[in-house]
Amino acid sequence: MDKPVSDAANDAIVSGYNNTGEVDTYNHCVDEISQKVERIEQKMDEIEQCTASTSKKQVKASKGSSSVKDKHIPGLKKHLQEASRMEAAAAKRMQDLMRQFGTILNQVTRHKFAWPFMQPVDVEGLGLDDYFEVIDKPMDFSTIKNQMEARDGTGYKNVRQICADVRLVFKNAMKYNDEKSDVYDMAKTLLKKFDEKWLQLLPKVLEEEKRREAEVAEIKLMEQLAHEAAYAKVARDVSNELNEIDAHLEELREMVVLKCRKFSVEDKRRIGAALARMSPENLTRALEIVAEADPTFQPAAEVVNLDIDAQSESTLWRLKFFVNDNLEGEGDGSGLASVDDDDNNREEDPSNDNNTNNIDNSNKNNNYKRKREISDAIAKAAKKKRQKPNS
């Protein structure tokens, strides 16, 4: 945008009017626009927060890893469907690997040495009082088969889990029994045979794991791109809204300029003289007001050349408000009396003479106070916007 929204609004507010009703009308318009801008800023904050939250999300490899709470985001539904399809295919492939592993397990359990490991150890019947002190997690083939056949969600999720439990059956037996015992030898023999057969299936398992890892990364990327596309669309919409508001404010400013009272040469001289009486701190702020309207002006330069005659009417009004308030705060009661006079001291449309002359001091003060308050408020909003870090 050529001109910041808040600056355009400020230009509209600080200009003078010949009619109190017009002041209220224009103030109302600017109030509405300011509220729209606040809502847009809140929307942008939400986008920034959502973007930050999305960047921290981690997609899990388990079922449902691609599901997110933001299913209302446009375009995300398609990506979720694709992620669901990929996960279903991966689950089917894993089931096939588990069936192949089942063949290996059947071969092991049919071996003549397998009978001691088919059922849970009868701890009480065999009088093994210290069994649970030695063995942390008992395991047997019947328990493994039950978990492989489970359909209630408690069963094995992948083939490596089954492999780990099969090895645990033999490891437990070798851990609890003496190396010279028959059970130890039987467990050692079966473990060797199982490892030989497992090594034949392992390449397929590794291939599936690598493929699944790539799919999970793809799902994560799809989700991220969907969010980014959605936020980019919202950002474009917000930008368009801001452009519309900016155009509206520019039209409003032009209308105000046509009706605003002009500063005379004497008024400008008084402003210049008042600036010379200000404290260094306040003078710096006054120069910043000029810089807000003129980006080429350097308020912090070692030598500052300020041409009062070259300033716009809106900038002069802002300087007038600032000078009046701060000279009073510094104990200088002179202010800018002539500039504060109402429009009946200016050249104006004769048709407005009666209305202008009938405005009492109370209305003038209220009108001035209202314009100053809104000017200050919008100036603060502009400052806040300039200080806001870029996302």
Side-chain angles (χ1 to χ4, degrees), residues 182-198:
D182 291 339
V183 174
Y184 183 96
D185 288 337
M186 295 165 75
K188 184 177 180 180
T189 300
L190 288 180
L191 177 59
K192 182 179 179 180
K193 292 184 176 296
F194 169 75
D195 284 342
E196 291 174 353
K197 296 182 179 299
W198 166 248

Side-chain angles (χ1 to χ4, degrees), residues 24 42 77 95 121 149 161-162 211 233 260 285 382:
D24 293 337
Q42 291 176 357
K77 182 178 180 181
Q95 287 294 328
V121 176
E149 297 171 357
Q161 292 178 335
I162 314 175
R211 179 176 179 179
K233 181 180 183 302
C260 71
R285 177 66 189 107

Side-chain angles (χ1 to χ4, degrees), residues 92-105:
K92 185 177 181 180
R93 294 194 303 271
M94 182 55 67
Q95 287 294 328
D96 183 60
L97 284 175
M98 291 170 69
R99 281 194 294 271
Q100 294 181 51
F101 185 89
T103 301
I104 296 176
L105 185 60

Side-chain angles (χ1 to χ4, degrees), residues 27 42 51 108 117 129 133 219 225 269 271 327 345 363:
N27 285 344
Q42 291 176 357
T51 302
V108 172
F117 315 109
D129 298 333
E133 296 178 4
I219 291 172
L225 292 176
R269 185 195 67 77
I271 291 177
L327 285 181
N345 292 329
N363 287 337

Side-chain angles (χ1 to χ4, degrees), residues 245-310:
I245 291 176
D246 191 42
H248 189 183
L249 286 170
E250 184 62 23
E251 293 175 2
L252 185 61
R253 191 187 70 80
E254 293 298 329
M255 294 171 62
V256 169
V257 170
L258 294 176
K259 292 181 176 290
C260 71
R261 60 191 186 185
K262 306 298 180 181
F263 280 77
S264 66
V265 174
E266 179 63 18
D267 293 334
K268 296 176 182 178
R269 185 195 67 77
R270 287 178 177 272
I271 291 177
L275 291 174
R277 298 198 304 273
M278 302 188 76
S279 67
E281 181 180 351
N282 286 333
L283 179 58
T284 298
R285 177 66 189 107
L287 295 178
E288 290 175 354
I289 291 176
V290 177
E292 288 172 5
D294 180 8
T296 63
F297 183 74
Q298 301 294 328
E302 195 170 321
V303 178
V304 178
N305 294 318
L306 175 60
D307 186 358
I308 290 293
D309 292 330

Side-chain angles (χ1 to χ4, degrees), residues 113-124:
F113 289 165
W115 64 267
F117 315 109
M118 296 303 297
Q119 299 295 329
V121 176
D122 185 5
V123 176
E124 294 184 3

Side-chain angles (χ1 to χ4, degrees), residues 54 57-62 65-66 79 82-83 86-87 90 93 208-226 228:
T54 301
K57 288 183 178 180
Q58 299 294 329
V59 179
K60 298 180 180 180
S62 59
S65 61
S66 66
H79 295 297
E82 178 62 15
M86 293 171 66
E87 288 177 351
R93 294 194 303 271
E208 172 58 26
E209 289 173 343
K210 184 177 180 180
R211 179 176 179 179
R212 185 56 186 153
E213 183 180 353
E215 289 180 346
V216 168
E218 184 178 353
I219 291 172
K220 181 179 180 180
L221 179 61
M222 287 192 300
E223 180 183 332
Q224 181 179 348
L225 292 176
E228 289 177 355

